[in-house]
Amino acid sequence: MHRAARAGVAAAAVTILALTGCASGASPDTRPTQDEAAPGFLAVSDESAAAGGELVVQVDYDTAEASGLDPQGAATARSWMLEGLSYETLTTIDENLDVAPKLATSWEMPSDTEYVFTLADDAVFSNGRPMTSADVAGSLQRLVDNPTTWTGQLGPVASIEATGDLEVTVTLSTPYAPFLAALANTPAAILPMAEIESGALDITTEMVGTGPLVATSHRQDEEWTFEPNEHHPDADSLGFSTLTIDIVGDEATRAAALRDGSADFAVLNSIDSAELLSNADDVTVVGQKNTDFHYLMINSLTGDEALQDEDVRFAINSAIDRSAINELAFGGSTSTTGVTPAGLPDSCLAEDLPSAAHDVAAAKSVIDGIGGLELDLVVYTDEPVLAQIAQVMQQNLAEIGVTVDIQQVDYATYTAQVYGDPADFDLALSWFAGYADPAMVTTWWNPEVAGFSAVFMQGSDELDGLIADGYATEPGADRAEVFQQLCALADEQSEMVPLVLRPSTLGWNTASLSPTLTSDEGYGNFLRHITEFRAS
């Protein structure tokens, strides 16, 4: 880093410290460890550890979906994780982010558009009824027939048939490389279709799945309680008696709960929490890598009129210092990314994108040409790191003549402003799950398919074509070239602008819990291996 760049980072650090009340990054000795306990795992539960106690987990915010508890309508990673405690999918991902069997014990591909799934013979819904191939076929057909955000991720499904007692065949109209990875997320969960179709079950208010846990109570934005699903194959081997998930918005409170033992496990958004807990003998804090990434929305439809100009949007994009965001908000623990998440096979190289030149002079010339610009930047308060990113960007954009007013709002207000029709913002920060196949997240750059992005971005036929090419191209060098072109075009158009990967900071009390955690995650599910947790 050049001396001038270091000076800029230092100045931004002072501002962040003053305005967010957070440190500008933990010291190297106290950053969350990413050391592996075994290949692919940050922690592996000790089978000899005491077990059978009550497991208490604290998270920062609750699920809040218009579809209630219906997993097919779940649009956020928090909903996927919480509902995924009770529901299971045909496939899952392993510690290498590779697709692995779940309710489908195996599958064959007679052609590049046909998938024949063999189903588990021991899957039982929490109401005691065994899962059938009709449940599987019916669940997937329901998702296709009643489009939600996730429907587009399934790709070009032509037919779904129960072709045997324990067999389901899905046929696509064209090849679609991420199909198996798309089946691995909670919105593609298998539902008790007989009860849903008969009207005996209201799936928006009650979760009845084949998963390991059953929700026994829920107080919105306060608490969930779960008990084991007695019909699940892992029921007798679970290492805890009950699970309580407390919704605790304040990070300092969650950190204190780990320290005093009132919580066994907690999500900690800020790397600074590792420093705060560094002298706690019974607390371990780790940094879980993610394919998830933070991104900037630039409202080209209903934002400031100047944002309809691609040159203005690209000027804003190219002025953002991703390295400063990494250093100041994440202590240097993450990396820049394009549309396809950095680190996944075939993903584009962020350093080769047009904005990577970081030509501040050229960007300033564009903004000077319109007489300067004043924009609002909306972030939600549930994740303090968004405010830190916003502060860095505010200083970056000031250098090119863009004055930024940061608006910190609650998530309900944020959702209304950003995803309402019409959208009411200029700039906004959020994050995407990156999933396990790089083609999946590219879907959100096609507003017609994504839906939510149609209120603030135009997209383009050329970009849609590259997205489709990425779906249909087999993994390898050809697909990598498609993704590099896709990322470059999205970078130039600058309507949704990827910034940096979003690591998770997680902590647990070692005196009361022995967990299993993967080193990498792609669907926002840090409780993916909860059946292996052992709580005393």
Side-chain angles (χ1 to χ4, degrees):
M1 185 182 291
H2 295 297
R3 180 176 300 173
R6 279 206 286 281
V9 169
V14 172
T15 301
I16 287 175
L17 181 61
L19 295 179
T20 69
C22 298
S24 61
S27 66
D29 293 338
T30 59
R31 289 175 186 166
T33 180
Q34 294 182 338
D35 294 343
E36 292 191 329
F41 291 90
L42 293 169
V44 178
S45 63
D46 182 354
E47 294 182 0
S48 67
E54 298 178 0
L55 174 57
V56 178
V57 173
Q58 289 193 355
V59 300
D60 43 355
Y61 56 92
D62 202 354
T63 177
E65 303 283 359
S67 57
L69 300 179
D70 182 345
Q72 292 189 347
T76 65
R78 181 53 44 80
S79 299
W80 303 338
M81 184 186 75
L82 291 171
E83 293 170 10
L85 297 170
S86 293
Y87 289 105
E88 293 178 314
T89 48
L90 287 178
T91 62
T92 187
I93 57 169
D94 65 16
E95 67 275 15
N96 300 310
L97 297 181
D98 292 329
V99 176
K102 192 68 173 179
L103 290 178
T105 57
S106 63
W107 51 85
E108 297 179 353
M109 291 185 64
S111 71
D112 59 3
T113 58
E114 189 176 10
Y115 296 78
V116 181
F117 296 95
T118 298
L119 308 178
D121 60 7
D122 59 352
V124 180
F125 293 108
S126 57
N127 63 3
R129 182 175 67 79
M131 183 192 76
T132 68
S133 58
D135 292 307
V136 175
S139 297
L140 297 181
Q141 192 65 57
R142 180 177 183 263
L143 184 54
V144 170
D145 292 344
N146 301 279
T148 69
T149 300
W150 201 253
T151 301
Q153 290 288 0
L154 293 186
V157 174
S159 66
I160 305 166
E161 298 178 84
T163 47
D165 291 342
L166 292 173
E167 183 180 279
V168 168
T169 299
V170 179
T171 302
L172 308 180
S173 57
T174 57
Y176 181 68
F179 179 63
L180 293 172
L183 293 178
N185 201 14
T186 303
I190 304 309
L191 313 176
M193 290 306 299
E195 290 81 350
I196 293 171
E197 292 172 345
S198 71
L201 171 67
D202 181 358
I203 200 170
T204 66
T205 61
E206 183 180 3
M207 297 193 294
V208 177
T210 62
L213 298 170
V214 178
T216 56
S217 69
H218 177 215
R219 297 197 306 274
Q220 182 65 40
D221 299 323
E222 293 186 25
E223 182 185 81
W224 287 82
T225 58
F226 292 84
E227 293 182 356
N229 172 8
E230 62 179 337
H231 306 289
H232 193 271
D234 294 330
D236 292 337
S237 61
L238 282 181
F240 53 91
S241 58
T242 60
L243 167 66
T244 299
I245 297 182
D246 292 325
I247 315 300
V248 181
D250 182 66
E251 178 151 340
T253 302
R254 298 195 302 276
L258 287 179
R259 184 186 291 272
D260 67 23
S262 56
D264 303 301
F265 186 95
V267 57
L268 304 167
N269 288 315
S270 172
I271 61 169
D272 299 317
S273 294
E275 187 163 18
L276 294 173
L277 291 167
S278 60
N279 63 349
D281 294 337
D282 293 333
V283 177
T284 292
V285 179
V286 299
Q288 185 182 56
K289 298 177 183 177
N290 281 298
T291 61
D292 308 346
F293 58 87
H294 292 285
Y295 69 99
L296 172 69
M297 289 165 272
I298 303 179
N299 185 355
S300 65
L301 295 182
T302 59
D304 189 287
E305 186 176 350
L307 300 179
Q308 296 175 19
D309 186 335
E310 182 176 306
D311 290 341
V312 172
R313 298 196 304 271
F314 182 74
I316 292 170
N317 178 9
S318 59
I320 298 170
D321 187 344
R322 274 82 162 172
S323 295
I325 291 173
N326 182 17
E327 289 298 326
L328 295 169
F330 299 98
S333 64
T334 188
S335 57
T336 58
T337 185
V339 171
T340 52
L344 283 180
D346 302 337
S347 282
C348 60
L349 300 175
E351 60 267 28
D352 291 341
L353 298 179
S355 65
H358 191 50
D359 191 338
V360 175
K364 187 176 188 305
S365 176
V366 170
I367 302 303
D368 286 347
I370 60 172
L373 196 55
E374 295 182 3
L375 302 174
D376 60 65
L377 170 55
V378 184
V379 299
Y380 53 91
T381 53
D382 289 335
E383 296 203 34
V385 72
L386 294 177
Q388 293 179 306
I389 296 172
Q391 298 290 350
V392 177
M393 289 176 47
Q394 184 182 53
Q395 293 205 359
N396 294 160
L397 297 182
E399 295 178 22
I400 65 168
V402 177
T403 300
V404 172
D405 175 27
I406 298 173
Q407 299 179 3
Q408 299 188 56
V409 299
D410 62 79
Y411 191 69
T413 302
Y414 174 93
T415 299
Q417 284 187 244
V418 175
Y419 305 122
D421 190 4
D424 182 21
F425 73 98
D426 296 322
L427 309 175
L429 285 170
S430 189
W431 62 275
F432 282 134
Y435 315 117
D437 187 293
M440 293 175 66
V441 73
T442 69
T443 299
W444 309 140
W445 268 257
N446 181 333
E448 183 176 348
V449 176
F452 70 88
S453 56
V455 298
F456 59 79
M457 71 177 287
Q458 304 172 56
S460 70
D461 291 341
E462 184 181 2
L463 188 57
D464 293 348
L466 288 169
I467 292 170
D469 290 345
Y471 293 156
T473 306
E474 286 296 311
D478 289 345
R479 189 166 76 149
E481 176 57 29
V482 170
F483 287 151
Q484 194 66 40
Q485 295 178 35
L486 186 161
C487 291
L489 183 58
D491 189 60
E492 291 169 355
Q493 294 179 350
S494 298
E495 293 186 290
M496 289 199 297
V497 178
L499 299 172
V500 296
L501 295 179
R502 176 186 179 270
S504 295
T505 302
L506 307 169
W508 68 92
N509 188 301
T510 56
S512 62
L513 179 66
S514 180
T516 294
L517 295 171
T518 55
S519 302
D520 296 89
E521 173 57 36
Y523 297 74
N525 186 3
F526 46 81
L527 297 181
R528 181 174 298 278
H529 293 279
I530 195 168
T531 57
E532 299 174 38
F533 282 32
R534 298 179 68 84
S536 59

